[in-house]
Amino acid sequence: MFLRYIITAFIGLITWNSFALDVPVDNKQFIYGLGTDVTYGQAQKSAMADIVMKLSTRITAKSQITQTKENNQTQTRATQKTEAVSRGIELPNVEVVASEEKLGNWYVLVRAERKLVQRSIKHQLVNLNDDLLFALKEFKGKYTPSCFYALSDEASNKEKLNELIPAYVGSGISDGSEDEFYQTLNTFDRTFKKCKKRNRYTLTFSELVSSEFKRSTIKFLKNNGFYVVSSVENTGVVQFNIKKKQTLAYKSHLTILNTEILVFDETDTLKYQKSFKVKGSSFESKSQSLARAEKSLLKKIKLNN
């Protein structure tokens, strides 16, 4: 059985080599990519992805723990799975050099002109860098909730810039122009760190709430980077607009809380709005049913965070 498997694998390897296209070595003028798939279009996309992977990849390792039972004993095994994730590079038009279909699979060989690839990546870098610099200029020396929100919105652009720089260098550029982009990344990180430290808010409730609920809410906000303070200078506002309804039904106390949460930055610009409806019941007391409703409210807020 094992011998048959070896023979089958060997035949498959020979078949692959006879059908696969020869990939030229990358040179100063062109970068080549080979892709395969059941359709021509997907094979061409796969070939373009091959070029992207050559330019720059992010290597990640994920640990996986599995448990099996053997002879009434549990065996635990830890394995690592390594993945190469291509970065978000937009390639210019590529040229299909050759293609062929064998046994239901398409093999497509493409090439991209190195200078055009470098120009495309540089264009992306400049645009991302300009967007980040524009946001940073607006909040220079102004570390407030609006700064926190604005730079949070730019976090994905910051990450793209960070990922594209190695691709630019990997494409063969050695003029040192990446230093400017690294400087922008450093400035962004420093500014965002200051904005996070000063992401401060006052907290208001339209209805009287228990001290336990108030403490838990402040702790939850702090754990998520929102610091509750008493001062109103350069601070945002977190509002809990609560409509409370309490009834007695079948000897059970019932509390229903319809709550709208609003978050404003220091310029009174609405940044978050969400509504929740929860209830709590108790056979013992109205206050216990309220406490249970508040607990359900906080739990629901955490789940929707």
Side-chain angles (χ1 to χ4, degrees), residues 109-143:
L109 177 66
V110 301
R111 69 182 184 186
E113 192 170 344
R114 189 178 291 274
K115 286 184 178 181
L116 294 181
V117 171
Q118 293 168 343
R119 189 181 304 168
S120 176
I121 298 175
K122 181 67 175 290
H123 179 72
Q124 294 174 67
L125 285 169
V126 170
N127 285 341
L128 289 168
N129 193 65
D130 287 347
D131 288 343
L132 294 178
L133 288 177
F134 180 80
L136 290 170
K137 183 179 179 181
E138 184 178 358
F139 295 102
K140 186 176 182 180
K142 181 184 176 185
Y143 311 118

Side-chain angles (χ1 to χ4, degrees), residues 138-204:
E138 184 178 358
F139 295 102
K140 186 176 182 180
K142 181 184 176 185
Y143 311 118
T144 57
S146 60
C147 169
F148 171 81
Y149 279 102
L151 296 192
S152 294
D153 290 341
E154 292 293 338
S156 61
N157 284 337
K158 179 252 180 182
E159 186 60 29
K160 288 178 183 178
L161 182 67
N162 188 43
E163 293 182 344
L164 280 174
I165 296 172
Y168 187 58
V169 177
S171 69
I173 290 293
S174 58
D175 58 1
S177 58
E178 71 275 7
D179 293 343
E180 174 190 355
F181 307 128
Y182 278 125
Q183 184 177 349
T184 299
L185 292 176
N186 291 332
T187 302
F188 184 94
D189 288 339
R190 289 197 306 269
T191 306
F192 192 38
K193 185 177 181 180
K194 292 177 181 179
C195 291
K196 287 175 69 176
K197 285 184 176 180
R198 299 174 189 176
N199 188 34
R200 299 169 181 170
Y201 298 81
T202 55
L203 177 62
T204 64

